[in-house]
Amino acid sequence: MPHTLLLPTAQGTLAPYTLRGNTPARPAPGVAFNRIAYSAAHVVADPLATVDPWLTAAIDWDTTIAYRRHLWSLGLGVAEAMDTAQRGMGLDWPTSLELIRRSLDAAKDFTAQGGTALVASGCGTDHLDIDAVKTVDDVIRGYEEQMEAIEKLGGKLIVMASRALARVAKSPADYERVYDRVLSQAKQPVVLHWLGDMFDPALAGYWGTKDVDAAMDTALGIIAAHPAKVDGIKISLLDKEKEIAMRRRLAPGVRMYTGDDFNYAELIAGDGFGSELFHGQSDALLGIFDAIAPAASAALGALAAGNTERFHALLGPTVPLSRHIFQAPTRFYKTGVVFMAWLNGHQSHFSMVGGQQSTRSITHFAELFRLADAADLLEQPDLATHRMKTLLALHGIDA
């Protein structure tokens, strides 16, 4: 029987909404992808911990790791301890390192049971007191400390954009110096990470300039100087034309990992440009894949099977949802990701590290619910409806 409930609208009224109630498509068992696809994964807070949730990160480790096993079971890799995990917005470095350790241990266990479990882990400078960082050498030291800790665990690095570097760098040459040191020391090829200021205002002017084309030149020059040490670069600029322009200029063998949560479907499908494989398509390192994991997996399976029409039919309807979750202020998108995990029964509560569940309005959640249903992403419609009604009741709405 269809579920109908009253949902708030952008006009400040209540309107009935009847669910489609279609559950997500699932990939065929054993399908291998022809793209590398990392999902940046969220963390599950421990709501029973006796801490101040705005100040101290308390993690439900069992549920957090169980969600990573869920992602691996769908063929997706895990980009660990990234901004989707609230890195820099409630998740501190000691807790991030523990998360990385537990994720790598779980990946080994998953692999030992016959599965495949890709993990790449965020390496940054967020443990530094940013007010005490005065020089580029301080930034280099910060990167080296996290690199050593992650590589000691056997982890592959995602070299995250650094707020400290954005603050103290005087020119593109300072970025070149830092990344030259980092890449020269990396034990295995890394994924570079270019996060636009819509995701983090403290990263404005990254690569030494606010001119995106000039910044791209600097990043490409760094990659060209160290092609054997760079697996790829993830860019999150929410500008598909910039991403396409950059991927066409990458050194041979270096991947473009799309971080464009607005245009990922067409960027992953690719345009077939050039003879160098990676210049005409994007792989993926996306926060939205956490929220749409079954659809993403099924779509990537269809793409690998040569069924591009099915790929777009599955992934296309998720794009309006993603654009809603990542709407400005974009940095609050993590709230929508965790809300989806709660609706779909992957955690028992809707509370977040840093109290971040409060960053979006009830009208935002109502529209998210509609869009998730429209994209066939509610895994258990009965449960999702019950939980949506619970949230509405907390806001004084009898649905």
Side-chain angles (χ1 to χ4, degrees):
M1 181 176 178
H3 297 284
T4 299
L5 67 168
L6 289 175
L7 294 178
T9 70
Q11 292 72 41
T13 61
L14 296 176
Y17 178 78
T18 301
L19 273 71
R20 288 160 49 102
N22 299 328
T23 54
R26 294 281 174 174
V31 171
F33 301 157
N34 60 357
R35 302 287 189 274
I36 295 177
Y38 287 104
S39 169
H42 75 282
V43 292
V44 181
D46 179 357
L48 301 181
T50 308
V51 297
D52 186 328
W54 280 26
L55 302 177
T56 305
I59 306 299
D60 177 344
W61 292 114
D62 289 345
T63 309
T64 293
I65 296 303
Y67 196 73
R68 279 128 183 88
R69 295 182 70 90
H70 168 67
L71 293 171
W72 292 325
S73 74
L74 292 169
L76 301 173
V78 169
E80 192 55 276
M82 302 293 292
D83 53 300
T84 303
Q86 297 180 243
R87 189 83 174 264
M89 289 184 70
L91 194 74
D92 57 25
W93 165 239
T95 311
S96 297
L97 184 59
E98 178 65 9
L99 174 62
I100 291 167
R101 184 188 69 77
R102 288 174 180 259
S103 190
L104 289 170
D105 286 347
K108 292 174 186 174
D109 178 65
F110 192 88
T111 301
Q113 296 175 23
T116 300
L118 290 179
V119 182
S121 302
C123 169
T125 63
D126 51 315
H127 63 296
L128 301 176
D129 178 354
I130 198 165
D131 292 325
V133 175
K134 304 300 181 184
T135 69
V136 168
D137 287 327
D138 293 335
V139 177
I140 290 172
R141 172 176 54 81
Y143 270 128
E144 289 175 340
E145 289 175 4
Q146 293 201 13
M147 284 178 68
E148 181 181 11
I150 295 169
E151 289 185 334
K152 187 176 181 180
L153 298 173
K156 174 187 176 73
L157 303 178
I158 301 171
V159 180
M160 300 177 72
S162 166
R163 291 175 178 173
L165 180 55
R167 184 169 181 172
V168 303
K170 306 294 190 220
S171 69
D174 285 336
Y175 286 85
E176 291 166 355
R177 183 179 166 208
V178 170
Y179 281 89
D180 177 73
R181 281 285 296 273
V182 170
L183 292 173
S184 295
Q185 296 178 72
K187 292 183 177 178
Q188 58 179 309
V190 310
V191 177
L192 298 179
H193 177 249
W194 182 2
L195 199 64
D197 59 2
M198 69 288 293
F199 285 88
D200 187 344
L203 298 176
Y206 210 74
W207 306 113
T209 176
K210 292 185 178 180
D211 182 324
V212 175
D213 292 327
M216 189 181 297
D217 289 340
T218 299
L220 286 164
I222 290 168
I223 293 168
H226 303 274
K229 289 296 186 78
V230 180
D231 168 40
I233 182 167
K234 166 201 162 78
I235 68 170
S236 298
L237 303 179
L238 304 183
D239 184 330
K240 66 180 180 180
E241 300 304 331
K242 296 295 185 187
E243 178 172 322
I244 291 169
M246 188 173 189
R247 81 184 181 196
R248 290 179 176 182
R249 297 174 60 194
L250 288 171
V254 176
R255 297 174 183 268
M256 171 59 72
Y257 287 97
T258 186
D260 188 335
D261 299 280
F262 284 6
N263 303 292
Y264 49 90
E266 59 187 292
L267 289 164
I268 293 168
D271 56 18
F273 174 84
S275 59
E276 214 291 322
L277 177 63
F278 302 140
H279 290 179
Q281 63 188 48
S282 294
D283 293 279
L285 199 165
L286 287 161
I288 192 58
F289 273 13
D290 183 297
I292 67 166
S297 178
L300 288 165
L303 184 65
N307 192 340
T308 305
E309 183 177 348
R310 172 81 172 149
F311 168 82
H312 285 295
L314 289 167
L315 214 51
T318 72
V319 172
L321 171 68
S322 186
R323 292 187 175 203
H324 180 72
I325 288 174
F326 284 80
Q327 70 179 212
T330 302
R331 64 188 181 277
F332 296 140
Y333 78 86
K334 298 90 170 171
T335 301
V337 169
V338 175
F339 181 63
M340 281 291 293
W342 178 58
L343 286 181
N344 282 326
H346 294 290
Q347 55 193 80
S348 62
H349 60 85
F350 180 40
S351 56
M352 296 174 64
V353 171
Q356 291 285 314
Q357 69 274 7
S358 66
T359 63
R360 297 295 199 187
S361 69
I362 189 60
T363 55
H364 178 90
F365 293 127
E367 182 63 9
L368 194 161
F369 183 85
R370 295 185 194 97
L371 291 169
D373 179 52
D376 298 339
L377 286 170
L378 297 179
E379 298 176 29
Q380 303 176 66
D382 290 351
L383 177 66
T385 301
H386 171 73
R387 289 186 168 181
M388 188 70 225
K389 287 184 175 181
T390 299
L391 186 64
L392 290 165
L394 288 174
H395 288 79
I397 299 168
D398 184 1

